[in-house]
Amino acid sequence: MSIFLSHSLRYAARGWRVIWAPPGSKHPTMKGWPDFATTDVGIIRRWWAEHPNANVCVATGQASGVWVLDVDDKNGAGGSATLLAAEREHGDLPMTYTVGTGSGGVHHYWTYDGIDFHLGNSAKKLGPGLDTRGEGGQVVAPPSRVDDPAHTMPYVVLVDVAPVAAPAWLVDMLRPPQREPVAAFSSSPFVRPRGVGGILGWLVGVQPGSQDQALCWAVRALRDEGLSPQEAGDAVWPVVSAWPCSRGPWTEADIERHLRSAYRGVTAA
């Protein structure tokens, strides 16, 4: 049994849905991977029989029961300093399942206890170098290794305990502002939401007939929040896939069309 398979089975036993990524990659390449991430032992064994050296990714979100705080220090991101300042103000983070990333960062895994709102993926919402992975997201997991000059080591488990609930102060920093629901997108003036959570919360209420225009605006707004195309697509997919439709169901191709338009000419960080 490969080390990648054994770790995948261990995560699945915890109830965490896993998905494979090509060796050296941070991202699953299977189309529609959020729907295929699984705890099914038979499927997992088949995947790693076909791709024995594939990286292991854990799909975050309520189906796995975990979300992740990503503390990133590479290229001067400053995540550790940002988190330290927050802890000095609010209190230390409790001990929870923790992974060291290949670039020297840290992933703190948390349960969904206390999360009574849509928690998706965010970039820098908590400050420089702090990202989150929730609904529609995923994280690379040990013992994976990423082929990137910034990643000099494999991902490793630093604290092997069961995940716990995040402290209330951290949850409150992620909680979207309370807003009156917007029934439909129109060209008339309205208060445009800010922050990833506010954008996604607003997007939920968009009704058929206005959805394409709303998706176009939302993708651009997420781009302006600092999300990469992958992160923006992962963030909007759970919302768009659940939209009520007067036409056929929305697909990933619809999102990709808006992503290509919004990020045209934008250089990836």
Side-chain angles (χ1 to χ4, degrees), residues 68-84 101 103-108 122-133 225-226 231:
V68 171
L69 173 65
D70 179 4
V71 184
D72 186 11
D73 286 325
K74 70 177 181 292
N75 301 322
S80 293
T82 303
L83 181 58
L84 179 60
T101 74
S103 62
V106 176
H107 287 170
H108 297 284
S122 72
K124 304 177 184 178
K125 179 177 181 179
L126 297 172
L130 297 183
D131 301 339
T132 62
R133 294 292 178 268
E225 289 287 333
E231 292 167 337

Side-chain angles (χ1 to χ4, degrees), residues 198-236:
I199 294 165
L200 296 177
W202 171 83
L203 197 62
V204 169
V206 176
Q207 297 300 305
S210 302
Q211 291 168 343
D212 195 64
Q213 189 180 5
L215 180 57
C216 176
W217 175 82
V219 167
R220 283 166 169 73
L222 292 172
R223 175 200 62 195
D224 294 342
E225 289 287 333
L227 271 64
S228 68
Q230 173 77 31
E231 292 167 337
D234 289 346
V236 300

